[in-house]
């Protein structure tokens, strides 16, 4: 597609529920990233894929967070047993390839509210 | 560790005023540097970038110069408009990931 598409746009979950957030990157983009943006803060890195390989997951805050990109295109970020501190905007971005030169194209994000 | 420090906001200006938003970074090597903008209710958009020392990135009247000596990448605009009201994020890219500052809100009044 023309841009990075994320769904749902908004998600309200009861504490303890599992949620799945979807990201559809720009066609042909090799690199895919997930970021978490708390209210009033800058985005914080969660995890990075190159094609289907998850090369860096050092930013995932706990083992309740899991991400996958099985066919090297669409990615899903799953949060199990959601907690209130998980409330944030989850941003997905894609990049043509790895390396230091390329900027990212971001999606509009999924705003997760845990009640 | 790697980090980006931006001036705290909000920055409040009148239309046609001069804008500077300071940004300094701590990183190994010489990363690519970026400014992203987030308009109300929208996602992050790349505003400009610079990939090596002394490069100047520019877009929509905004400019920033990659200063290796001072590890800075300050954002400037000569004459701001009401439509520039947004949150601005400075960032650098290491090998793969972007590291962002906390953002600076700009409010421009007519």
């Amino acid at each position: 597609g023309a841009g990075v598409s994320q769904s749902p746009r908004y998600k309200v979950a009861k504490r303890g529920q599992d949620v799945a957030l979807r990201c559809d990157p720009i066609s042909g983009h090799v690199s895919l990233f997930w970021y978490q943006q708390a209210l009033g803060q800058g985005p914080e890195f969660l995890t990075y894929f190159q094609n289907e390989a998850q090369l860096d997951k050092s930013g995932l805050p706990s083992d309740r967070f899991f991400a996958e990109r099985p066919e090297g295109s669409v990615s899903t970020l799953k949060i199990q047993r959601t907690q209130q501190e998980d409330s944030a905007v989850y941003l997905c971005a894609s990049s043509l390839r790895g390396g230091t030169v390329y900027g990212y194209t971001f999606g509009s994000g999924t705003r997760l509210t845990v009640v | 560790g790697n980090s980006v420090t931006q001036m705290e906001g909000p920055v409040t200006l009148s239309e046609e005023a001069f804008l500077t938003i300071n940004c300094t970074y701590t990183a190994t090597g010489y990363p690519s540097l970026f400014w992203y903008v987030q308009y109300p209710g929208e996602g992050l958009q790349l505003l400009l970038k610079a990939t090596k020392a002394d490069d100047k990135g520019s877009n929509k009247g905004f400019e920033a110069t990659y200063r290796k000596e001072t590890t800075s990448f300050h954002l400037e605009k000569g004459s701001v408009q009401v439509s520039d009201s947004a949150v601005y994020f400075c960032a650098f890219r290491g090998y793969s990931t972007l590291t962002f500052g906390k953002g600076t809100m700009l409010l421009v009044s007519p």
Side-chain angles (χ1 to χ4, degrees):
Chain A
V4 177
S5 178
Q6 291 188 247
S7 61
R9 187 72 192 270
Y10 302 94
K11 176 70 179 177
V12 178
K14 290 185 177 178
R15 190 168 56 180
Q17 265 188 326
D18 297 349
V19 298
L21 313 180
R22 176 188 168 102
C23 173
D24 202 337
I26 293 174
S27 178
H29 276 198
V30 167
S31 299
L32 184 145
F33 308 82
W34 283 98
Y35 281 78
Q36 181 190 58
Q37 186 176 17
L39 190 63
Q41 301 295 313
E44 298 270 349
F45 169 76
L46 293 176
T47 187
Y48 158 54
F49 290 85
Q50 190 157 307
N51 295 307
E52 68 278 5
Q54 189 174 21
L55 299 187
D56 188 345
K57 56 181 181 179
S58 62
L60 296 177
S62 77
D63 59 8
R64 296 187 296 104
F65 286 71
F66 172 76
E68 61 184 5
R69 193 186 184 197
E71 297 178 359
S73 55
V74 172
S75 177
T76 304
L77 176 68
K78 297 179 180 177
I79 309 173
Q80 297 177 324
R81 305 181 303 282
T82 52
Q83 304 294 315
Q84 282 194 317
E85 62 262 28
D86 300 335
S87 296
V89 176
Y90 290 85
L91 296 169
C92 176
S94 69
S95 178
L96 187 58
R97 52 179 63 92
T100 62
V101 175
Y102 299 93
Y104 302 176
T105 301
F106 280 86
S108 296
T110 294
R111 181 178 296 278
L112 173 65
T113 303
V114 182
V115 297
Chain B
N2 296 338
S3 66
V4 177
T5 302
Q6 289 182 235
M7 63 188 289
E8 291 201 16
V11 173
T12 304
L13 295 173
S14 298
E15 206 165 25
E16 298 184 2
F18 184 85
L19 168 71
T20 300
I21 300 178
N22 291 337
C23 169
T24 57
Y25 66 91
T26 302
T28 54
Y30 303 109
S32 296
L33 302 176
F34 304 85
W35 277 99
Y36 281 82
V37 59
Q38 191 171 36
Y39 297 103
E42 298 186 16
L44 285 164
Q45 299 176 27
L46 178 64
L47 180 60
L48 54 83
K49 69 177 184 181
T51 58
K52 61 183 188 295
D54 300 325
D55 264 3
K56 178 185 284 189
S58 62
N59 186 24
K60 299 180 181 180
F62 291 89
E63 292 184 339
T65 301
Y66 191 143
R67 301 287 187 200
K68 184 178 66 174
E69 321 76 43
T70 54
T71 60
S72 65
F73 193 53
H74 304 322
L75 182 68
E76 297 181 336
K77 187 174 185 182
S79 176
V80 293
Q81 305 300 311
V82 172
S83 58
D84 294 328
S85 297
V87 181
Y88 292 81
F89 293 92
C90 183
F92 73 81
R93 184 166 183 176
Y95 177 72
S96 58
T97 62
L98 275 174
T99 299
F100 287 88
K102 292 188 175 182
T104 303
M105 179 178 287
L106 171 65
L107 299 171
V108 181
S109 57

